[in-house]
Amino acid sequence: MDMAKVIEDVAFNILKQAVIYLPEDVKQALKKAYAEETSETGRTQLKAILDNIELAEKYQAPVCQDTGTIIFYVKAGAEAKNLDKLEEPLIKAVRRATKEIPLRPNAVDPFTQKNSGDNTGRFIPYLNWEIASGESIELTVMTKGGGSENVCLTGMLVPGEGINGLKKFVIDAVIKAGAQPCPPTILGVAMGGGSDIAIKLAKKALLRPLNEPNPNPEIAKLEKEIFEAANMTGIGPMGLGGKTTVLGVHIDYAYRHPASFPAAVAFNCWAARRASAQIDADGNVEYLTHKMRW
Amino acid sequence: MAVYKLKTPISEEEIRKVKVNDVIYITGTIVTARDQAHRRALEYFKQGKALPINLEGLAVFHCGPVVSKEGDKWVAVAAGPTTSTRMDIFEDEFIKNFKVRVVIGKGGMGKKTTDAMAKYGAVYGAFTGGAAILAAKAIKSVKSVEWLDLGTPEALWIFEVEDFGPLAVAIDSHGNNIFLDVAKKVEENKQKIYQKLGLTQ
């Protein structure tokens, strides 16, 4: 068995699954929003979104023309072999996916403004590493749209304001973002750690399915409170007004320095694209979020 | 909420009937233009040079499509809208000079564009952000492409479309702008939200 080839194929497959088929929890949340939205204009937008999701599946085409920046999350078993050789097959998979699916080339050199044309470049695709026990590798891909990325926010709040400071920070961010991130959006929120840690945790929180609130009931309560508050803004689907502004809120945290209260909000557009698979030491693959359809 | 099926070229009289919250579908010709194409078109006008296509009565689409070339023919694979606010600096002159009747995009446009739409007779049709396949399926053919030197996202793509939509009319030719109305309401709601969350200003 050629492990590098297995990894490349799995990475290609989860990329293809992610950009064409939205996760079931996101589809369900959009259907629920369509049923409950009272703004007529808002409903036209949700209907178009649902129709578009169906068409993307039917024609096996990317659900949005902005196929995003490609980010991998690798949960590697400490006993897994050849982890130092994992990056190459992932890059190969991205190049292949760009050509074959196809994906829009979205990797630009910030100095020369030149587009690499294949979605790869320095640090792109970006790899987030986590070491777990065992010998299998869990691979997750997120393709992150530019419109929702442009309104992500990190802030250093006043520790004395506590959680209230966080609530205000998030609501203000949602209001300022308005129509830009293609609402209804999903919010990843994090506090503590440091400025870098907060935004990293916030973005990773976007991987959690919408029907899974935080296991800590206190945090789950805060998630619900912010979710309801964000939907009171009236921004609505695509910013055209309505009660569906966010589909869900996921919160994570790290302990903070006594003098600092870092906070971060990561936005994901309704086209919240993610997919995962697990590869064991013998090269057996289990797709965790999507069924294999080809 | 009325639904209108419009055929290009669209007359000023026809477009003035359309009001905010209506839904329109367009059949005929739409032309993509982003930042660079807007800039060049206005430069051409200033120099008295003709554009590659007469835009009068047509729709301009803020879009950088994913296209593929099959043989010698271009095909639009995915063609959702891009954020329109970037074109706000050009759009009033664009409407005035070229007499486009519909501007298609996402995220809305500001006061200056709204005023130009009222003065010269045009509407803004919001196409659902991300609904790229819905858009691509309404594009029956790529009639031609101009200004490819600007790069494929920025070029003028001239599309033959059938029932292109739904486009939610968010700015009409009577000074109404849903996005500005929503922003006003959101600002009012903000106080209620702060109260509910137990926050002070």
Side-chain angles (χ1 to χ4, degrees), chain B:
Chain B
M1 186 185 92
V3 177
Y4 291 94
K5 298 210 167 191
L6 303 174
K7 278 203 170 75
T8 65
I10 302 162
S11 69
E12 182 179 347
E13 192 192 347
E14 251 180 306
I15 211 67
R16 292 223 180 253
K17 286 184 200 155
V18 176
K19 305 276 159 57
V20 282
N21 288 316
D22 288 345
V23 169
I24 57 176
Y25 291 85
I26 296 175
T27 295
T29 306
I30 66 174
V31 182
T32 70
R34 291 172 47 128
D35 316 56
Q36 298 308 322
H38 272 79
R39 180 194 291 265
R40 185 178 288 181
L42 292 178
E43 274 166 14
Y44 270 39
F45 186 83
K46 230 171 153 184
Q47 295 159 5
K49 268 164 82 176
L51 299 188
I53 176 170
N54 177 7
L55 293 171
E56 188 168 346
L58 306 187
V60 62
F61 183 16
H62 300 153
C63 167
V66 176
V67 285
S68 72
K69 207 166 190 181
E70 291 174 13
D72 59 350
K73 274 179 71 179
W74 287 98
V75 177
V77 179
T82 192
T83 302
S84 297
T85 43
R86 298 197 314 271
M87 271 59 80
D88 246 335
I89 54 171
F90 308 113
E91 213 69 88
D92 57 335
E93 286 290 309
F94 199 90
I95 293 165
K96 179 183 162 194
N97 297 340
F98 306 120
K99 299 183 179 63
V100 292
R101 296 288 171 219
V102 183
V103 177
I104 305 167
K106 78 171 175 96
M109 303 191 79
K111 178 87 171 52
K112 219 165 64 144
T113 303
T114 309
D115 290 347
M117 287 181 165
K119 192 164 177 193
Y120 304 106
V123 303
Y124 178 83
F127 190 86
T128 312
I133 310 304
L134 197 63
K137 290 298 156 196
I139 298 169
K140 293 301 151 193
S141 69
V142 176
K143 279 170 91 172
S144 66
V145 57
E146 305 286 344
W147 298 353
L148 251 182
D149 60 296
L150 297 175
T152 57
E154 300 283 343
L156 286 181
W157 291 94
I158 301 163
F159 293 143
E160 192 66 42
V161 297
E162 196 180 316
D163 285 337
F164 187 90
L167 304 171
V169 177
I171 306 172
D172 64 20
S173 62
H174 306 282
N176 302 304
N177 183 326
I178 293 188
F179 288 99
L180 297 181
D181 292 350
V182 169
K184 220 181 280 166
K185 263 185 229 156
V186 170
E187 206 45 50
E188 288 164 23
N189 291 339
K190 191 166 143 181
Q191 304 313 319
K192 281 185 232 160
I193 296 170
Y194 278 6
Q195 254 177 20
K196 187 172 178 266
L197 294 173
L199 308 176
T200 48
Q201 268 314 297

Side-chain angles (χ1 to χ4, degrees), chain A residues 51-216:
Chain A
D51 288 348
N52 186 69
I53 290 170
E54 251 178 56
L55 287 171
E57 294 190 0
K58 187 175 164 195
Y59 294 101
Q60 298 236 326
V63 73
C64 176
Q65 83 282 348
D66 178 4
T67 46
T69 292
I70 296 159
I71 305 163
F72 285 105
Y73 290 84
V74 185
K75 202 171 169 182
E79 328 275 325
K81 293 200 176 67
N82 297 325
L83 287 177
D84 59 322
K85 295 190 183 71
L86 189 93
E87 198 169 341
E88 209 185 302
L90 294 185
I91 291 170
K92 271 193 188 163
V94 167
R95 290 195 174 124
R96 216 175 101 200
T98 304
K99 222 186 235 171
E100 289 178 25
I101 295 174
L103 306 178
R104 192 172 77 180
N106 279 343
V108 176
D109 182 324
F111 284 105
T112 62
Q113 314 310 326
K114 198 173 168 333
N115 193 320
S116 70
D118 63 4
N119 275 310
T120 73
R122 183 173 156 83
F123 287 128
I124 296 293
Y126 192 77
L127 268 64
N128 293 277
W129 286 91
E130 191 185 328
I131 303 295
S133 60
E135 43 182 18
S136 54
I137 298 167
E138 192 180 309
L139 207 54
T140 296
V141 70
M142 178 196 280
T143 69
K144 184 68 175 61
S148 62
E149 191 64 18
N150 285 345
V151 292
C152 291
L153 207 57
T154 306
M156 305 307 280
L157 311 184
V158 181
E161 288 182 0
I163 294 292
N164 274 0
L166 178 81
K167 291 179 192 171
K168 184 171 185 296
F169 178 70
V170 178
I171 291 304
D172 289 353
V174 170
I175 289 175
K176 190 162 174 250
Q180 276 188 80
C182 282
T185 56
I186 300 168
L187 306 181
V189 175
M191 52 187 159
S195 56
D196 57 335
I197 298 163
I199 191 68
K200 212 155 179 155
L201 289 176
K203 201 167 218 178
K204 197 177 176 196
L206 294 174
L207 293 175
R208 206 187 322 142
L210 286 167
N211 45 14
E212 278 178 27
N214 195 295
N216 177 330

